[in-house]
Amino acid sequence: MQSLLEFINQNQVILFLLLFARISGLFAFFPFFSHMTIPTAAKTALVIFMVIFLFPFATMPHMEINMYTVALAIVSELFMGLIAGLILNLIFAMLQMAGMQISFVMGFTMASVIDPQSNVSTPIISQILTLIGLMVLLALNAHHLMIVFMVKSLHMLPLGQFYPGGALWEYLLKSMSSLFVYGFILSFPIVGLSLLSDLVFGMLMKTMPQFNLLVVGFPIKIMVAFVVLIAVLSPIMFIFSREFTKALNHLSLLF
């Protein structure tokens, strides 16, 4: 008992708090780990287990011990988790952007569901693509790679010493612009074919005025869009997995 009391000193408590802030920040913003369908109790238990497991590998940072420096270090760790989660969630936003454009050309903009992650109304195609992307993430063992990143971060970046550099902000700006580009690229086969079908239906309306576009045209357009979506789903997920792997590699910019 006496040895345990000697072990629990001021430095050890501060080290535990900083490590808890880093792990909880990463779990709070990383894809899959931050999903709202996972019970909060399970997330908390996993964070505490990771903190206890990684505590022997953590080292106390060189800083002045007072209330302000410790609070600033905790905020720094939470901000690191926010930036790391933003880098990875931008890839999922790419799928959501493509799903919104596909839903628009299919006439499914009114067919929206509540996204359990963001609690906002999302087009159903975006929700389907996001869930498939989440399954691809698990199939690639990306959740294991995210845990490996948490362990490596203890050796690469001291606790409480995170500061975003210019290269990190430059990468985030490029990722934001690439979000719209890749969203259009992924949805282009369906969007392009939809525009072509609109052209064909317009020609039919000119040659056959009795052709009822609302009764015949829209079901055909939806059916063709679904067929094309199934055909290009594999390339879409390949691009998603490739970009997600690149985003995981670019997490080193945090150091």
Side-chain angles (χ1 to χ4, degrees), residues 158-188:
L159 293 172
Q161 304 297 319
F162 172 72
Y163 182 79
L168 179 60
W169 294 118
E170 183 179 356
Y171 173 77
L172 287 175
L173 290 175
K174 290 182 178 179
S175 299
M176 287 289 185
S177 60
S178 300
L179 164 66
F180 300 97
V181 175
Y182 276 100
F184 176 75
I185 291 174
L186 295 181
S187 63
F188 180 75

Side-chain angles (χ1 to χ4, degrees), residues 155-222:
H155 303 284
M156 302 296 294
L157 182 67
L159 293 172
Q161 304 297 319
F162 172 72
Y163 182 79
L168 179 60
W169 294 118
E170 183 179 356
Y171 173 77
L172 287 175
L173 290 175
K174 290 182 178 179
S175 299
M176 287 289 185
S177 60
S178 300
L179 164 66
F180 300 97
V181 175
Y182 276 100
F184 176 75
I185 291 174
L186 295 181
S187 63
F188 180 75
I190 296 92
V191 174
L193 195 61
S194 176
L195 295 176
L196 181 61
S197 63
D198 289 338
L199 179 62
V200 173
F201 290 151
M203 295 173 62
L204 287 175
M205 287 290 292
K206 288 293 184 180
T207 57
M208 301 171 58
Q210 67 273 17
F211 178 74
N212 194 332
L213 180 62
L214 293 176
V215 176
V216 181
F218 281 116
I220 294 177
K221 188 176 179 181
I222 293 173

Side-chain angles (χ1 to χ4, degrees), residues 25-26 29-31 80-90 251 254:
L26 293 174
F29 298 105
F30 268 175
M80 173 185 171
L82 173 63
I83 297 296
L86 177 62
I87 292 175
L88 299 182
N89 280 302
L90 282 175
L251 287 178
L254 296 171

Side-chain angles (χ1 to χ4, degrees), residues 88-99:
L88 299 182
N89 280 302
L90 282 175
I91 312 301
F92 280 91
M94 175 182 71
L95 286 181
Q96 293 180 350
M97 179 67 64

Side-chain angles (χ1 to χ4, degrees), residues 65-76:
I65 304 300
N66 57 60
M67 183 179 65
Y68 301 104
T69 56
V70 173
L72 187 60
I74 292 175
V75 172
S76 173

